[in-house]
Amino acid sequence: VIVPLGGGGLISGVATAIKGLLPNCKIIGAEPRNADDAFRSKAAGRILPHDGPVKTMADGLKTILGEHTFPIVASIVDDIILVDEDDIASATRAVWERMKIAIEPSAGVGVAVAVSQELKLKHPGLRRVGVILCGGNSDLSVLSSILANAEPLEARCGRTY
């Protein structure tokens, strides 16, 4: 299950519930490369702040892990995969166009991870993948520009969906 990761509340709850029911199920955090504090914190074994101002369209994921969520992310989240802004935009656009679901770019981060080559390389045995589509806190004037300028998903990942 791929879960967008910002402050860690959503992924902590999802991971706790799923691991309680299906201990072998993989929980993968999805984070913008431009807001990679959870990725770095998990690797360092301690909470690390952002290196500077965070510039990502996934504004719901600009927060940092908290003292209550970090231990859960560190212990039961299996992996965190980072994606670039162009991948986030293309994934968000694809969901709007194909699924007719109004998501914000923070949810597009999870979709971008799901279609990434990194996921396939790091977890080649995955048979089924679920993505948590979160949030709806979008500034439509900003979002319309993101969607209008995003490359189609097929152009970003090299295959048709």
Side-chain angles (χ1 to χ4, degrees), residues 73-152:
V73 170
S75 64
I76 64 175
V77 171
D78 297 291
D79 195 4
I80 299 172
I81 295 178
L82 305 175
V83 290
D84 295 319
E85 295 298 297
D86 288 341
D87 297 321
I88 298 167
S90 294
T92 302
R93 176 180 170 170
V95 171
W96 275 74
E97 287 179 343
R98 292 182 181 85
M99 298 176 73
K100 309 301 184 211
I101 298 174
I103 63 165
E104 64 177 309
S106 295
V109 173
V111 177
V113 167
V115 299
S116 72
Q117 286 301 313
E118 185 174 354
L119 178 70
K120 288 156 193 57
L121 292 173
K122 289 175 82 174
H123 302 280
L126 293 180
R127 295 183 325 213
R128 292 177 290 196
V129 176
V131 180
I132 303 295
L133 296 178
C134 61
N137 303 318
S138 296
D139 178 336
L140 291 179
S141 61
V142 173
L143 186 61
S144 63
S145 175
I146 291 168
L147 296 176
N149 294 309
E151 270 188 280

Side-chain angles (χ1 to χ4, degrees), residues 20 29-30 33 42 52 87 113 153 158:
R33 192 171 308 281
K42 186 169 171 66
D87 297 321
V113 167
L153 190 60

Side-chain angles (χ1 to χ4, degrees), residues 5-13 47 64-75 77:
L5 177 51
L10 179 62
I11 199 168
S12 293
I47 298 173
I64 62 169
L65 290 174
E67 64 182 74
H68 299 294
T69 58
F70 174 71
I72 298 168
V73 170
S75 64
V77 171

